[in-house]
Amino acid sequence: MQQGWTFPWLCALLLGLMMGLLVSGSEFKHHRYEDMVRALFAVQSECPYITRIYSIGRSVEGRHLYVLEFSDNPGIHEALEPEFKYVGNMHGNEVLGRELLIKFSQFLCEEYRAGNQRITRLIYDTRIHILPSMNPDGYEVAARQGPEFNGYLVGRGNAREIDLNRNFPDLNALMYYYEKTNGRNHHLPLPDNWEQQVEPETLAVIKWMQNYNFVLSANLHGGAVVANYPFDKSRDPRIRGRTTYAATADDKIFRKLARTYSYAHSWMHKGWNCGDFFDEGITNGASWYSLSKGMQDFNYLYTNCFEITLELSCDKFPPASALPREWLGNREALVSYLEQVHHGIKGMVYDENNNPISKAEISVAGINHDVTSGVDGDYFRLLLPGTYTVTASAPGYLPSTSTVTVGPAEAIQFHFYLKTAPKQNLKVKPHNGRKNLSSPKSPLKLGPR
């Protein structure tokens, strides 16, 4: 009897194992660190020509902070192709973002291989960077308790129990100071010794931002269901029981970005979630509660990147059985938000000899926040549909101003050509028998808090 069913049973077992290998990348489960790494490398193996895995650094306990990149030319920035990033699991015990980004990576690979034109075009026209876990050490602490017993704070911080979303240099204070003195409105300087003031994970992400000219980003959290946009830190001193809306110069575009995710999400836009109500499923961060040294404000004030924070689940550590529903609820929103990186205006900044100019400032009349061109001379400026007066300027060149009309579809491409400024013979008046070598006052420096 036993011999009669052994061979068919063995065949069925082998077939099941083979099928399991084929679909293992798509199953819904919680991924410990080693499982996450295997899942990412499995995607890279399945789609080797459009993906690359790289590490931006290590956690306190030495775990790599792996990023999975999607592009038609992995590892290369192509001029006029915007850089986009998703970051998950910044708080170790807020795990849904981690699982969604692993699944999203598998989804991009699978849909590309299936010939999905929407996904293929995104991969060809965008350089997509996915960091599923910014805090792998905190995750391991939370995962040891599991979904059933996980506390509200257990595993939230890194291995030193530091909240990484309160760990970035406080550029808001400097920005609010500059607002009163008509000071710089973008790429604000970092405080002295900032590298010694942040955690290894924070340091790795800041270096990452310095190495890539990101245009748009989202940071995936849990504990509520709402799309949260800058500023997170209030301009006013904290008063118990009072919240104050802290708008950026790009408040309208941030509201639109937040609504894009909320309305593409299956239930976020309905407003009532987790016992809270947020109109249209969006909120200004400071209007909700004031937060200092957060990552989304830092993106806006230090780089060209616009970032929002996505709170995606009432339960910080939902059971694995809830993951399929959460994926279906977020899948379209993840794609739709990514597509927003292709709106506004983009172009090159050249000199008279068609050489690209890096770090040229692109300013828009009426919006007091500038962006800069990248190393290759390309710039990206997210804008709502409308007509704008746009100026490109760079040291040693005459500024160039043009009127540009932005439509509701893809970004309008507009190039600037800057002429070399005529040299001026400036005479330095002597002062007390010596040349005046005094320099302008340096920007306000922020020490450790």
Side-chain angles (χ1 to χ4, degrees):
M1 176 69 71
Q2 191 172 5
Q3 292 179 345
W5 56 262
T6 298
F7 181 74
W9 177 85
L10 182 60
C11 290
L13 177 62
L14 290 174
L15 180 62
L17 288 173
M18 291 174 63
M19 292 300 294
L21 289 173
L22 290 174
V23 302
S24 62
S26 300
E27 64 182 334
F28 292 95
K29 66 175 185 178
H30 287 293
H31 292 75
R32 298 292 286 263
Y33 178 74
E34 291 78 8
D35 296 330
M36 179 186 72
V37 173
R38 279 194 290 268
L40 295 180
F41 276 90
V43 173
Q44 203 279 326
S45 176
E46 287 294 312
C47 292
Y49 301 112
I50 58 164
T51 59
R52 175 177 72 109
I53 291 179
Y54 63 97
S55 172
I56 60 172
R58 290 179 181 265
S59 66
V60 171
E61 294 181 341
R63 294 181 175 90
H64 277 289
L65 305 179
Y66 282 118
V67 174
L68 179 60
E69 173 192 335
F70 284 85
S71 170
D72 57 337
N73 287 291
I76 300 172
H77 172 75
E78 299 175 73
L80 300 177
E81 184 172 289
E83 308 266 355
F84 176 95
K85 62 181 166 72
Y86 271 133
V87 178
N89 200 208
M90 185 181 198
H91 290 144
N93 64 335
E94 297 174 12
V95 307
L96 179 59
R98 175 189 180 112
E99 299 307 329
L100 288 177
L101 292 183
I102 293 171
K103 180 62 182 176
F104 187 59
S105 301
Q106 296 166 346
F107 170 78
L108 291 178
C109 175
E110 292 165 1
E111 293 302 303
Y112 174 82
R113 296 184 65 188
N116 183 319
Q117 291 185 0
R118 184 185 184 192
I119 299 304
T120 299
R121 187 177 184 189
L122 265 179
I123 292 173
Y124 275 37
D125 295 345
T126 324
R127 196 175 178 201
I128 306 164
H129 305 257
I130 298 174
L131 173 61
S133 181
M134 181 180 167
N135 185 5
D137 296 353
Y139 176 87
E140 293 302 311
V141 173
R144 281 195 286 271
Q145 289 195 334
E148 297 83 5
F149 304 103
N150 186 254
Y152 195 78
L153 295 175
V154 175
R156 176 183 175 89
N158 68 352
R160 295 174 182 155
E161 299 187 359
I162 301 297
D163 187 331
L164 299 179
N165 206 31
R166 311 290 191 280
N167 190 236
F168 285 77
D170 185 3
L171 298 184
N172 293 77
L174 182 57
M175 178 63 190
Y176 298 161
Y177 169 80
Y178 279 164
E179 284 181 337
K180 300 174 183 178
T181 59
N182 293 319
R184 191 173 180 83
N185 64 23
H186 65 96
H187 293 79
L188 303 186
L190 297 178
D192 293 333
N193 302 316
W194 69 270
E195 293 188 24
Q196 284 72 50
Q197 300 171 26
V198 300
E199 292 298 298
E201 297 89 349
T202 310
L203 176 64
V205 167
I206 294 176
K207 295 287 188 182
W208 188 32
M209 295 177 187
Q210 292 173 337
N211 291 330
Y212 296 85
N213 185 22
F214 292 114
V215 178
L216 183 62
S217 173
N219 177 17
L220 281 57
H221 284 243
V225 178
V226 64
N228 176 103
Y229 56 91
F231 284 122
D232 267 335
K233 183 174 180 178
S234 174
R235 286 177 170 84
D236 303 319
R238 292 186 181 183
I239 299 175
R240 184 180 296 275
R242 178 178 136 192
T243 58
T244 307
Y245 195 112
T248 67
D250 287 284
D251 188 63
K252 291 181 179 179
I253 187 69
F254 270 119
R255 290 176 61 85
K256 192 249 187 180
L257 290 169
R259 280 196 297 263
T260 296
Y261 198 94
S262 177
Y263 278 94
H265 189 281
S266 294
W267 56 87
M268 183 183 289
H269 61 280
K270 296 179 180 179
W272 286 108
N273 292 290
C274 317
D276 296 317
F277 177 75
F278 296 100
D279 189 27
E280 297 187 289
I282 68 173
T283 186
N284 172 257
S287 182
W288 186 10
Y289 63 90
S290 184
L291 180 161
S292 293
K293 302 183 180 181
M295 185 164 72
Q296 72 173 11
D297 287 8
F298 182 84
N299 269 270
Y300 183 68
L301 295 175
Y302 183 63
T303 76
N304 289 320
C305 189
F306 287 37
E307 179 173 282
I308 67 173
T309 300
L310 300 170
E311 302 281 352
L312 297 178
S313 60
C314 303
D315 190 347
K316 287 173 175 279
F317 206 128
S321 59
L323 296 180
R325 176 178 181 268
E326 294 289 355
W327 164 244
L328 291 177
N330 284 275
R331 182 180 61 191
E332 173 59 29
L334 289 167
V335 177
S336 294
Y337 183 79
L338 200 164
E339 289 173 330
Q340 297 305 302
V341 77
H342 293 287
H343 289 253
I345 59 174
K346 68 177 182 179
M348 301 292 299
V349 183
Y350 293 111
D351 65 14
E352 296 165 294
N353 298 314
N354 289 329
N355 296 313
I357 301 174
S358 63
K359 296 185 179 178
E361 296 184 357
I362 311 299
S363 60
V364 179
I367 303 178
N368 189 32
H369 184 81
D370 302 343
V371 299
T372 59
S373 58
V375 174
D376 298 318
D378 51 349
Y379 74 91
F380 305 85
R381 192 26 164 125
L382 299 178
L383 291 168
L384 296 175
T387 299
Y388 300 90
T389 301
V390 186
T391 300
S393 59
Y397 297 91
L398 296 174
S400 175
T401 300
S402 294
T403 299
V404 183
T405 298
V406 176
E410 291 188 359
I412 299 300
Q413 193 168 130
F414 188 87
H415 304 319
F416 287 95
Y417 297 86
L418 304 186
K419 295 181 179 180
T420 303
K423 294 182 179 180
Q424 297 179 350
N425 294 321
L426 297 177
K427 294 183 179 180
V428 181
K429 294 182 179 180
H431 178 68
N432 293 334
R434 299 175 60 186
K435 291 183 178 180
N436 183 3
L437 300 177
S438 62
S439 60
K441 290 183 178 180
S442 59
L444 177 68
K445 298 291 185 179
L446 298 179
R449 294 185 60 182

